[in-house]
Amino acid sequence: LSSGSDGTRVKESLVSALRLDKDALASTLTLAIDNKRETYLNIPIGAATSINTKRVLNNTGYVAEYDATVGDHFGFGAALRHDQNDRFKNADTYRIQASWRFNTGLRLRAASGSGITAPTNFELFGYDPTSFVGNPNLKPEKSKGWEAGLDWFAPNSPVRLGATWFSDILTGEIQTNFTPSFLSTPVNLAQPSYQHGLELTAAADLPGSVTLDGAYTHLKATEKGGLTEVRRPDDTASLNATWRGQKVSVTGTVRYTGKFVDFDFTNPFGAATRRAMPAFTLVNVAAAYKLAPRVELTARVENLFNAKYQEVFTFQAQGVSAFVGLRAGF
């Protein structure tokens, strides 16, 4: 063993919900506490260094959430989370949402919220002083965003449609800084990153126990200087078709990933540059056969037509693959 790491992650949570109904008002109050404790230890490469010290990260979160519906038309909710972290400042995040459904089956909805993500052990402490050096001065990433959308699912209609507009801003984004000497370290970007776009969904129940569902997302993700975020394709889409019989079900999936950019580290005399990556389409097939009421034999084929593609530059993705399994429930 030349290098490696040893770590644990333990998460505990307690959730309690109280149902509060009166006349046309149906509501739920939820309270929760969760704790996550992570330990991390680098296994030395050669002689031990300061990065081989055992590290511990601990975070406790307190959540209060209220959700309600008024009659058959109006719904709303609000949630607040307070995080206590033994390394970073305490943080408060929120989410509020509301919707209105018309008698025609059209529903309008909107939501807004914030979030926070702490740096990982790798980012804080690194793993090799000759290649990737941690940055203990990193700050958590913070985000704020909103979405607005509409859904249409009329009674007795086999078709369901949806559209969502969304926008997010990310501050303190953590990105790895590469140098010509191949020494790299993570940093918080000084400028915010932006993401906005449109997502469309559709589903239909067809004769013969066939269901169709599809989704398309157009995304514009930019970082400092207006550069496009790496590994964020402008366009993605998927289409699923499922047939269900008495004992057998078969699903076919087509997944499209549009053009995107990625880092190029192949220049031995300079820092990383950016490279345009081509779009690709994958076809997957899955089937299940019920052997008993709670036992299923499963099989799937991924990348059925053996497409050649890369989700990360210079890392060739898996070709055609087949899997067989057994699934049991108790």
Side-chain angles (χ1 to χ4, degrees):
L1 182 66
S2 60
S3 65
S5 61
D6 181 27
T8 61
R9 176 183 296 168
V10 178
K11 186 173 182 178
E12 304 148 332
S13 62
L14 176 64
V15 181
S16 180
L18 177 62
R19 184 77 178 182
L20 304 168
D21 294 342
K22 184 176 181 181
D23 299 328
L25 175 65
S27 60
T28 302
L29 175 64
T30 303
L31 301 176
I33 302 174
D34 62 69
N35 178 263
K36 183 172 67 175
R37 178 182 175 88
E38 295 178 306
T39 65
Y40 174 76
L41 175 65
N42 281 296
I43 298 174
I45 304 174
T49 69
S50 60
I51 71 167
N52 304 129
T53 303
K54 185 176 181 179
R55 314 287 184 172
V56 179
L57 296 177
N58 191 75
N59 188 90
T60 302
Y62 303 87
V63 180
E65 181 175 354
Y66 180 75
D67 294 289
T69 58
V70 181
D72 297 327
H73 298 284
F74 182 59
F76 64 96
L80 179 65
R81 179 182 176 92
H82 176 74
D83 281 286
Q84 292 182 343
N85 192 286
D86 59 1
R87 184 178 183 87
F88 305 104
K89 291 176 59 177
N90 296 343
D92 296 309
T93 53
Y94 71 92
R95 179 175 175 84
I96 54 175
Q97 58 190 20
S99 65
W100 180 272
R101 181 173 181 177
F102 296 89
N103 292 329
T104 59
L106 178 68
R107 184 181 69 159
L108 302 180
R109 50 182 167 80
S112 178
S114 63
I116 186 168
T117 301
T120 65
N121 273 300
F122 275 110
E123 293 166 335
L124 288 168
F125 310 121
Y127 59 84
D128 181 359
T130 65
S131 61
F132 188 87
V133 179
N135 181 357
N137 296 318
L138 286 173
K139 304 298 182 183
E141 297 177 330
K142 297 180 180 181
S143 65
K144 287 185 178 181
W146 61 266
E147 65 178 46
L150 53 88
D151 303 301
W152 183 80
F153 41 97
N156 302 319
S157 172
V159 178
R160 300 172 295 281
L161 304 174
T164 303
W165 293 265
F166 60 90
S167 179
D168 295 283
I169 179 171
L170 178 65
T171 57
E173 180 181 4
I174 297 174
Q175 191 175 94
T176 302
N177 185 23
F178 299 94
T179 67
S181 64
F182 297 101
L183 185 66
S184 57
T185 188
V187 297
N188 289 107
L189 296 183
Q191 300 297 322
S193 302
Y194 301 91
Q195 296 189 41
H196 63 271
L198 170 67
E199 181 179 66
L200 303 175
T201 60
D205 299 318
L206 304 182
S209 300
V210 175
T211 60
L212 293 177
D213 65 85
Y216 165 76
T217 300
H218 178 71
L219 172 69
K220 187 64 175 179
T222 58
E223 58 183 39
K224 62 178 182 179
L227 290 175
T228 299
E229 289 265 22
V230 298
R231 300 171 193 163
R232 298 290 190 274
D234 287 345
D235 301 285
T236 56
S238 64
L239 177 65
N240 303 291
T242 300
W243 172 80
R244 289 183 174 85
Q246 187 174 1
K247 289 190 174 182
V248 180
S249 65
V250 180
T251 300
T253 301
V254 179
R255 182 166 64 91
Y256 170 79
T257 299
K259 297 178 181 179
F260 61 100
V261 297
D262 199 2
F263 289 121
D264 183 349
F265 302 101
T266 59
N267 182 1
F269 304 107
T273 57
R274 289 172 175 251
R275 172 182 288 265
M277 303 291 290
F280 59 87
T281 301
L282 302 178
V283 178
N284 305 325
V285 179
Y289 179 79
K290 184 177 292 186
L291 298 174
R294 295 181 179 273
V295 181
E296 281 187 331
L297 178 66
T298 63
R300 73 181 191 273
V301 178
E302 297 183 354
N303 195 3
L304 179 64
F305 298 109
N306 200 32
K308 306 299 181 184
Y309 69 100
Q310 296 179 9
E311 294 181 292
V312 178
F313 180 57
T314 70
F315 286 85
Q316 187 66 43
Q318 184 72 39
V320 59
S321 306
F323 304 86
V324 177
L326 190 65
R327 183 165 53 215
F330 301 95

